[in-house]
Amino acid sequence: MKLKNIALSVCTAALIACNSDKPTVADPTLKDIIGDKFLVGVALNSEQAAGRDTSAVRIVQRHFNSIVAENCMKSEVIHPEEDRYDFTLADEFVKFGEENGMTIIGHCLIWHSQLSPWFCVDNEGRNVSPEVLKQRMKDHIHTIVGRYKGRIKGWDVVNEAIEGDGSYRQSKFYEILGEEYIPLAFQFAHEADPDAELYYNDYGMHDPGRRDGVVRMVRSLKEKGLRVDAIGMQGHMGLDYPSIGDYETSILAFAATGAKIMITEWDMSALPTLNRGANIADKVAFEKALNPYPESLPDSISRLWNARMKSFMELFIKHSDVITRVTAWGVSDGDSWKNDWPVAGRRDYPLLFDRSYQPKPFLKEILEPRVAKFYEFSYSVDNSQLTIDNSMQRDGAANCQLSTVNCQLQNPVLPGCYPDPSICRVGNDYYIVNSSFAFFPGVPIWHSTDLTNWEQLGYVLNRPSQLPMYDGLRISGGIYAPDIKYNPHNGLFYMITTAVDGGGNFFVTTDDPKKCNWSDPIFLPEVGGIDPGFLFDEDGKAYIVNNDAPAGKPEYSGHRAIWIREFDWKNGCTVGKQKMIIDGGVDKSQHPVWIEGPHLYRINGTYYLMAAEGGTGPDHSEVIFTADTPFGPFKPCAINPILTQRGLPDGRPNPVTCVGHADLVQTPGGDWYAVFLGVRPYKGGHDVMGRETFLLPVTWKEDQPVILPEGETITYTANRPYGPAPLWTADGLTKEAFFIRTPLVPCYEIGSKGQLTLTASSSDLNDKRQPAAIGRWINNWTFTAQTALDFTPREQGDFAGITCFHDDYCYIRFGKTLDKEGKPALSLEAYSRGKLCNQASTPLPKADGKIYLKVEGNDAVNYTFSYATNPKGEWMQVGEPVSADLISTQTAGGFTGTMVGIYATGNYENTNN
């Protein structure tokens, strides 16, 4: 996939301009960069529209191509008395837009607030009759819209008519006319100017209730044949609301009505949310709580504010196919309505430009991005550096006579962080899927025809719409334990999984996994817990089994249960009630913990339920039950566990630990195999590759499958060369490549000669956001990864190079930056549990030019970082080798391995006044 970053288009445009005869613009502007995506708008106050606020006017003329009236077209200003209009300010506003070639938006025709006092009452202060109010509305709308007919592109016709629960707001208009006032307003506006666009505008549009209410209202208006061109989502935000996910859900819901979307009043308060943590009766305490930063924002708050603004701007760009305008509600912080409210002297920092009319850091990131060019990235495991171990996967050269697969088998079959495997077969094609946690794309999928040689097809969840994992999601959140099954009754493959911390259980489908084109998720909110799995039964029925809390109160820590419910595959939904079929585990009296990862099979008329037990650590195991019906009762089989490595000597050679979470598959010849996860610790339980996929033959004893008799050991095959494998080619990223969380917009571009240009993000590796980083899994203790980099740091904090990343708190970075004196240098930094544990640097003679970087893993003992100034030059080590323990799973916790790849971050900070 070859993607373009919006910031990169600036660089391209600048290069084109430099090679043309036309005069060039010294610095890029907002409308230059994103004006082709949507209108870049700003609300003007009267001083600005009249040209008296010259500093603001310069900003508006330079960066914006659309304006909206802040107050001058509201009823109390433009129509102060029934028989008198005052167009003075509105005329100045429209004239400003016309003289500057801007798209002009009118705001707003019907709104219960800032409404002229006379509008809905008679001389005695009583509500007017419905007929009188209708005529007043018609006269008001016809007069204002008619005056600017053909000059104003569109109008906010009705403002804020829906409450948070989806009901109609009990305004004077609703009190007198009911919901009829809304279609009447749209009718009158269209009569006054048939060519003008008409919009509905409201705040809090991320609220599910208001979202649903607006959708119903807009669809009702359209069914009446009325024109509704766009839904305006007021972007009044705070540091703690809304979530990007909720806002995106609303964008998609509103777009489904057929209307376009406009972000109409964008600002983000940097102050605490109102009425939280302050007693309004204590005026002094209340005023202090609401005005905590009277001089300037602390750096920590500034970084948080800018990161959220950047994320939302990227969200708008992502959905520019349906968003037609993004409008800031004011030019600079000093103009915002959030100042001096609700207490005098309150100072907020909510807009794109500060009080000195300087762009905020997130805006500078858009206007002046730093870019790093990577010419290559190669990852390899050299067979000559590895300890040779030709032992089979079971002690004593186990069962070579069973099949050719056993003799050729090398474990792990999927080395690297590919845990929680699920497998299915159709004909001669086998498919495996794995967990992917907070990395994107999600759910790697593999194909084989012999169970020995596996090719990664790509990812099941390869579109951002399928996997919106945004700010704050922990690395070990996201996608858990996918299950892949084939439904012979409709010819579709199903993948069902859990989005932990982000939506719950859902499934997707495809008619051919090799196409890597799966459907959008269908969520199953009624299925709780984690680890859902399908059974498509021989009789045409289907079932979902899953882990969840037991019925009633858990009796001990780790007490979980397995549940089942019927699945209607014809309609894509569950039916009937759920039933608990396993309570606790094999022997509840022993307090078994974390029964999970269930798979249900029907084999020769018997139902087998297989699940993991004991937790995903060293006590992990696989157990199995049988029943005559899918709803049970299920009884433990005679032999349990059927797979474990717990209780074995710690000093055994080539240990594999934590095995479990298995799935079964039968070959065309009738043999059975199991895939399962396992861990290769290098010492003291430390591992850097996370949980990997292993495969073993299954034997049947006493009418049940056994993967490995208890007490037998599993070893791994160490003599497995790999690569050299690129992370990208001129055709795009390779199938192994992934990002940290879901990028809202692409952060890279690949040129025709294969160079990858990465835009340095202000989000760093420890920000729990989407850093500009692309990587792959380390799949062996001994490896080499290297790249060639061309990057010119401009500010301290600019950094580009290689990273070994476990999570937001445990990672290593090695690359080009500026030292404390502002001189170019190579820096090596290792962070563990959020603390800087290892640091070294070496000076560079110049800031620009290509440099070669390399990281070598040495049998998982440590990582060595070095550089060269030319491709055939001597490699020079920077600092001492970094202990692998610092970023191991044992240290960091969680469920992932270690990513190695490229990364770039930039310092775009400036002073907020």
Side-chain angles (χ1 to χ4, degrees):
M1 51 187 172
K2 189 174 182 180
L3 303 173
K4 293 185 177 180
N5 183 287
I6 187 66
L8 293 175
S9 65
V10 182
C11 303
T12 304
L15 290 173
I16 293 172
C18 288
N19 293 322
S20 69
D21 294 330
K22 296 180 180 180
T24 60
V25 177
D27 297 306
T29 70
L30 264 181
K31 62 186 179 183
D32 291 336
I33 297 171
I34 55 178
D36 63 334
K37 301 293 182 182
F38 38 65
L39 290 172
V40 185
V42 65
L44 296 189
N45 61 37
S46 298
E47 289 292 299
Q48 293 157 353
R52 290 185 287 272
D53 185 349
T54 56
S55 296
V57 167
R58 284 194 293 270
I59 292 292
V60 173
Q61 291 172 329
R62 178 167 174 73
H63 287 283
F64 298 95
N65 56 19
S66 174
I67 56 171
V68 65
E70 184 182 42
N71 288 309
C72 67
M73 288 183 169
K74 290 172 180 172
S75 169
E76 65 178 3
V77 176
I78 203 169
H79 197 177
E81 299 175 13
E82 183 173 7
D83 57 355
R84 182 172 69 87
Y85 290 87
D86 185 348
F87 292 108
T88 305
L89 299 179
D91 284 350
E92 287 182 335
F93 165 76
V94 174
K95 180 182 178 183
F96 180 94
E98 290 177 333
E99 289 180 345
N100 288 281
M102 294 178 163
T103 298
I104 306 170
I105 306 297
H107 175 82
C108 55
L109 296 174
I110 298 296
W111 187 29
H112 64 276
S113 187
Q114 291 184 260
L115 179 68
S116 292
W118 62 268
F119 208 107
C120 296
V121 296
D122 60 19
N123 293 333
E124 303 298 325
R126 295 171 299 192
N127 287 350
V128 297
S129 68
E131 291 72 22
V132 170
L133 184 56
K134 288 179 186 178
Q135 189 61 48
R136 288 181 176 180
M137 286 175 55
K138 183 175 182 178
D139 292 343
H140 177 79
I141 293 172
H142 274 227
T143 300
I144 297 172
V145 175
R147 181 179 182 88
Y148 301 110
K149 181 178 180 180
R151 302 170 68 189
I152 286 183
K153 180 180 178 66
W155 291 89
D156 293 329
V157 178
V158 175
N159 203 42
E160 300 175 6
I162 303 296
E163 294 280 15
D165 62 0
S167 64
Y168 284 93
R169 184 181 296 278
Q170 302 297 306
S171 66
K172 282 288 186 182
F173 293 104
Y174 186 83
E175 185 179 332
I176 298 170
L177 290 174
E179 61 188 77
E180 182 188 9
Y181 86 90
I182 299 173
L184 281 173
F186 278 86
Q187 174 189 328
F188 297 152
H190 184 61
E191 290 171 353
D193 187 351
D195 294 328
E197 292 183 354
L198 307 180
Y199 320 131
Y200 174 75
N201 189 52
D202 213 329
Y203 71 95
M205 299 284 261
H206 59 283
D207 291 333
R210 183 172 283 114
R211 175 197 308 148
D212 294 343
V214 171
V215 166
R216 287 193 299 269
M217 181 192 69
V218 169
R219 284 179 172 160
S220 174
L221 293 173
K222 285 179 169 286
E223 287 169 1
K224 293 180 172 66
L226 294 168
R227 178 172 185 170
V228 184
D229 294 279
I231 297 172
M233 298 178 65
Q234 295 181 22
H236 299 305
M237 302 173 177
L239 293 179
D240 55 353
Y241 71 93
S243 74
I244 290 178
D246 287 344
Y247 210 82
E248 183 172 37
T249 298
S250 291
I251 288 173
L252 297 173
F254 296 148
T257 68
K260 293 295 185 180
I261 312 300
M262 293 180 168
I263 312 303
T264 55
E265 302 181 24
W266 192 27
D267 54 28
M268 182 180 293
S269 176
L271 306 187
T273 302
L274 295 180
N275 299 328
R276 292 187 185 180
N279 181 4
I280 196 167
D282 183 348
K283 189 173 185 296
V284 174
F286 180 69
E287 290 184 0
K288 185 176 181 180
L290 293 183
N291 190 31
Y293 315 122
E295 300 300 329
S296 63
L297 286 183
D299 289 344
S300 60
I301 302 300
S302 176
R303 284 193 294 270
L304 176 60
W305 185 91
N306 279 282
R308 274 182 58 80
M309 288 291 279
K310 175 198 171 190
S311 293
F312 275 99
M313 178 63 89
E314 289 179 341
L315 179 69
F316 304 153
I317 292 170
K318 173 185 175 182
H319 292 290
S320 59
D321 58 327
V322 295
I323 293 177
T324 60
R325 174 168 58 96
V326 174
T327 293
W329 202 242
V331 179
S332 72
D333 285 343
D335 304 322
S336 176
W337 65 281
K338 292 192 172 184
N339 294 309
D340 298 312
W341 183 87
V343 292
R346 190 173 193 247
R347 188 180 180 97
D348 207 342
Y349 309 82
L351 292 170
L352 281 62
F353 293 85
D354 65 24
R355 284 173 170 79
S356 296
Y357 300 98
Q358 295 302 307
K360 299 285 185 71
F362 92 95
L363 204 54
K364 291 177 67 178
E365 187 171 353
I366 296 173
L367 296 172
E368 303 173 16
R370 321 280 161 77
V371 295
K373 183 174 289 186
F374 293 87
Y375 289 85
E376 60 192 30
F377 183 94
S378 177
Y379 174 90
S380 62
V381 175
D382 187 349
N383 184 40
S384 66
Q385 299 176 6
L386 302 178
T387 302
I388 303 300
D389 175 15
N390 291 318
S391 63
M392 292 303 297
Q393 276 59 55
R394 294 183 179 182
D395 285 348
N399 298 326
C400 239
Q401 72 276 12
L402 282 180
S403 72
T404 303
V405 174
N406 294 340
C407 296
Q408 298 175 343
L409 194 61
Q410 297 188 84
N411 264 321
V413 292
L414 302 180
C417 182
Y418 298 107
D420 308 324
S422 175
I423 189 169
C424 76
R425 177 186 63 85
V426 176
N428 293 319
D429 295 303
Y430 298 89
Y431 300 97
I432 287 179
V433 293
N434 305 96
S435 296
S436 52
F437 306 106
F439 297 94
F440 177 85
V443 187
I445 182 167
W446 308 77
H447 172 255
S448 176
T449 57
D450 59 10
L451 290 175
T452 300
N453 301 291
W454 292 91
E455 175 192 7
Q456 185 172 356
L457 297 174
Y459 296 87
V460 173
L461 306 175
N462 55 16
R463 302 188 301 275
S465 63
Q466 295 172 306
L467 193 58
M469 299 184 300
Y470 300 140
D471 297 354
L473 181 70
R474 60 193 174 104
I475 290 297
S476 287
I479 297 298
Y480 279 26
D483 173 81
I484 185 170
K485 292 295 180 286
Y486 176 70
N487 182 2
H489 308 294
N490 64 2
L492 292 180
F493 290 81
Y494 287 70
M495 190 283 296
I496 187 170
T497 188
T498 311
V500 176
D501 305 336
N505 294 305
F506 67 89
F507 71 91
V508 293
T509 63
T510 186
D511 61 352
D512 184 359
K514 296 174 186 175
K515 296 178 182 177
C516 283
N517 184 24
W518 294 70
S519 68
D520 282 337
I522 299 174
F523 280 86
L524 301 167
E526 67 279 8
V527 179
I530 60 172
D531 298 2
F534 277 123
L535 169 65
F536 294 99
D537 210 345
E538 298 167 3
D539 60 3
K541 290 187 176 182
Y543 307 92
I544 294 174
V545 290
N546 64 285
N547 155 291
D548 206 347
K553 185 178 179 180
E555 299 174 24
Y556 53 88
S557 178
H559 180 196
R560 303 292 285 177
I562 303 299
W563 297 76
I564 191 171
R565 64 172 74 229
E566 191 171 346
F567 176 70
D568 178 2
W569 53 264
K570 293 181 180 178
N571 294 298
C573 61
T574 61
V575 292
K577 295 182 179 180
Q578 66 173 352
K579 180 182 179 182
M580 186 173 69
I581 53 177
I582 300 295
D583 183 8
V586 171
D587 183 355
K588 187 180 176 184
S589 68
Q590 299 300 309
H591 289 182
V593 297
W594 302 114
I595 190 77
E596 59 190 4
H599 294 288
L600 184 62
Y601 314 92
R602 185 176 184 178
I603 303 172
N604 297 329
T606 299
Y607 291 90
Y608 291 84
L609 178 70
M610 191 170 72
E613 188 183 283
T616 193
D619 291 332
H620 207 197
S621 67
E622 196 72 15
V623 295
I624 197 160
F625 310 78
T626 61
D628 294 328
T629 74
F631 284 88
F634 280 89
K635 297 180 180 179
C637 290
I639 303 172
N640 268 311
I642 61 173
L643 172 70
T644 191
Q645 294 287 274
R646 67 189 176 202
L648 296 178
D650 291 337
R652 66 189 186 276
N654 299 336
V656 176
T657 64
C658 309
V659 299
H661 203 110
D663 196 7
L664 302 177
V665 69
Q666 188 179 28
T667 69
D671 293 329
W672 286 86
Y673 286 83
V675 291
F676 55 93
L677 69 81
V679 170
R680 290 185 281 167
Y682 56 89
K683 67 171 184 180
H686 286 280
D687 71 89
V688 291
M689 291 172 288
R691 299 174 297 164
E692 306 174 282
T693 292
F694 291 73
L695 183 146
L696 284 179
V698 172
T699 57
W700 285 80
K701 298 178 181 179
E702 302 183 33
D703 295 324
Q704 70 161 92
V706 177
I707 302 171
L708 186 70
E710 191 169 8
E712 291 193 16
T713 60
I714 304 169
T715 59
Y716 54 84
T717 306
N719 57 334
R720 298 182 65 181
Y722 181 89
L727 193 58
W728 66 85
T729 69
D731 295 324
L733 298 181
T734 56
K735 295 172 182 177
E736 298 86 357
F738 54 79
F739 302 89
I740 300 170
R741 303 183 181 88
T742 306
L744 285 159
V745 295
C747 61
Y748 74 97
E749 182 180 45
I750 299 176
S752 60
K753 295 182 180 181
Q755 302 97 329
L756 186 146
T757 303
L758 189 65
T759 299
S761 171
S762 57
S763 295
D764 211 341
L765 293 170
N766 61 354
D767 286 337
K768 297 187 74 173
R769 298 184 184 275
Q770 298 83 29
I774 308 171
R776 52 153 299 131
W777 293 119
I778 290 174
N779 62 8
N780 203 84
W781 299 327
T782 301
F783 70 91
T784 299
Q786 64 186 68
T787 188
L789 167 69
D790 189 353
F791 174 65
T792 303
R794 293 189 233 159
E795 302 285 346
Q796 292 180 8
D798 292 353
F799 197 111
I802 287 177
T803 182
C804 295
F805 178 90
H806 184 96
D807 65 15
D808 305 288
Y809 307 106
C810 292
Y811 59 88
I812 306 168
R813 66 177 192 168
F814 174 57
K816 200 172 183 181
T817 186
L818 297 180
D819 63 19
K820 293 180 180 179
E821 286 75 39
K823 297 179 181 179
L826 283 176
S827 178
L828 170 63
E829 299 173 3
Y831 293 83
S832 188
R833 295 180 177 173
K835 296 181 179 179
L836 180 61
C837 298
N838 192 308
Q839 186 175 24
S841 66
T842 188
L844 292 173
K846 58 179 182 176
D848 58 352
K850 188 187 295 187
I851 196 165
Y852 298 82
L853 306 177
K854 179 169 68 172
V855 54
E856 295 174 288
N858 178 17
D859 205 25
V861 174
N862 52 48
Y863 298 124
T864 301
F865 295 84
S866 53
Y867 74 100
T869 56
N870 65 76
K872 296 182 180 180
E874 178 184 358
W875 288 98
M876 292 166 281
Q877 183 175 318
V878 176
E880 296 297 320
V882 178
S883 171
D885 293 0
L886 292 176
I887 58 171
S888 69
T889 306
Q890 181 93 341
T891 301
F895 306 131
T896 73
T898 302
M899 179 192 96
V900 62
I902 60 172
Y903 140 82
T905 187
N907 175 15
Y908 300 96
E909 290 292 327
N910 66 356
T911 302
N912 287 311
N913 296 312

